[in-house]
Amino acid sequence: MKIKDKVLIVEDEQSISNFISMVLTANGYDTMIVRGGEEALTMISSHCPDLIVLDLGLPDMDGIEVLKSVRKWSNLPIVVVSARTHERDKVEALDYGADDYLVKPFGTSELLARIRTAIRHTRTALSNSQIAQSGKFTTGDLTIDYDKHQVLICGENAKLTVNEYKIVALLGKYSGKVLTYDFIIRELWGPKAKTDNQILRVNMANIRRKIEKNPGTPEYIFTEVGVGYRMREGD
Ligand code: CA
């Protein structure tokens, strides 16, 4: 029998936590529910969940504090669910190490997809951090060939520049996950790189002209306005 992944739901609104728990249980997860941050930290150290679904507006502390505290010692995947829709809230949560961010209200299939992605990424990172750097990534008609450093559309070389290739390769490595502008710039051009979203935007416009059928409504790389980019999940 398959061992079930344990998800800790940190949420003070009972109707929401019950709903999430019901959806996850129906889809093969074990769940635990806590209402506050202190309780969450205790449960995390005593029960070792495989993933945390974290609300930000908790009665005893801000969810961001829970996030910071967990990230001091653990890479445990954390999906933030929050009513806060501000870009800076999303950026803050992602920069403090949240694996993903969902704005309430969200659909059940979206929640399940984000949870699957977050768990898969942690497993991949643990088993071999180089794994996504070789071989191929495919989603729809797009293929990233990590060995040849090429992006192909329907088998044809999309002829990306080196920088364009690097951006697509990085997004492919973390497909399904939002990468913030700062993260992309840091990863590609080093920690001292001056953050300039403009350069990224220009590159992205060129990438989209080369890989998207209709650059105005992209199929492969999505913009999370004010936050960053997300590559569609692999096949
Ligand atoms: Ca709340």
Side-chain angles (χ1 to χ4, degrees), residues 11-31:
E11 168 67 71
D12 57 318
E13 273 174 71
Q14 208 182 349
S15 57
I16 299 177
S17 60
N18 285 345
F19 169 72
I20 296 175
S21 177
M22 194 186 72
V23 169
L24 293 183
T25 307
N27 285 277
Y29 296 91
D30 275 333
T31 62

Side-chain angles (χ1 to χ4, degrees), residues 170-210:
L170 184 69
L171 286 164
K173 185 177 167 190
Y174 293 95
S175 67
K177 189 176 153 154
V178 184
L179 303 186
T180 65
Y181 300 124
D182 281 0
F183 177 84
I184 297 171
I185 290 166
R186 247 190 351 256
E187 286 292 304
L188 297 185
W189 295 296
K192 295 214 167 78
K194 200 169 152 285
T195 301
D196 189 345
N197 299 350
Q198 183 59 25
I199 292 172
L200 211 48
R201 269 198 292 271
V202 170
N203 274 292
M204 189 52 70
N206 292 331
I207 291 167
R208 284 190 171 134
R209 267 195 299 103
K210 295 177 182 177

Side-chain angles (χ1 to χ4, degrees), residues 46-226:
S46 60
H47 284 74
C48 305
D50 295 292
L51 179 135
I52 305 172
V53 173
L54 178 66
D55 177 30
L56 294 184
L58 299 171
D60 59 340
M61 64 168 88
D62 196 293
I64 291 288
E65 297 306 317
V66 177
L67 190 56
K68 284 188 202 166
S69 179
V70 173
R71 279 293 172 261
K72 283 180 194 155
W73 53 273
S74 170
N75 286 326
L76 183 61
I78 300 176
V79 173
V80 167
V81 292
S82 177
R84 298 178 194 168
T85 56
H86 266 289
E87 285 158 12
R88 64 164 186 279
D89 292 316
K90 289 189 200 176
V91 171
E92 186 182 39
L94 293 166
D95 278 346
Y96 278 118
D99 291 81
D100 215 330
Y101 192 106
L102 272 174
V103 175
K104 293 176 187 171
F106 46 81
T108 55
S109 53
E110 183 155 39
L111 175 70
L112 289 166
R114 304 287 181 92
I115 286 177
R116 268 197 312 271
T117 303
I119 290 179
R120 180 165 50 81
H121 277 133
T122 313
R123 300 260 151 88
T124 309
L126 284 177
S127 58
N128 183 353
S129 59
Q130 298 305 316
I131 215 158
Q133 301 288 26
S134 62
K136 285 179 181 156
F137 167 86
T138 300
T139 177
D141 290 333
L142 179 143
T143 298
I144 303 171
D145 187 328
Y146 283 99
D147 299 315
K148 290 186 182 157
H149 290 213
Q150 281 180 359
V151 173
L152 309 163
I153 292 291
C154 300
E156 293 276 315
N157 188 350
K159 300 196 173 132
L160 301 188
T161 65
V162 173
N163 273 338
E164 290 163 6
Y165 170 78
K166 281 188 185 174
I167 294 167
V168 176
L170 184 69
L171 286 164
K173 185 177 167 190
Y174 293 95
S175 67
K177 189 176 153 154
V178 184
L179 303 186
T180 65
Y181 300 124
D182 281 0
F183 177 84
I184 297 171
I185 290 166
R186 247 190 351 256
E187 286 292 304
L188 297 185
W189 295 296
K192 295 214 167 78
K194 200 169 152 285
T195 301
D196 189 345
N197 299 350
Q198 183 59 25
I199 292 172
L200 211 48
R201 269 198 292 271
V202 170
N203 274 292
M204 189 52 70
N206 292 331
I207 291 167
R208 284 190 171 134
R209 267 195 299 103
K210 295 177 182 177
I211 69 166
E212 301 282 1
K213 275 197 203 85
N214 187 348
T217 49
E219 283 176 72
Y220 297 115
I221 299 175
F222 308 105
T223 301
E224 297 277 328
V225 178

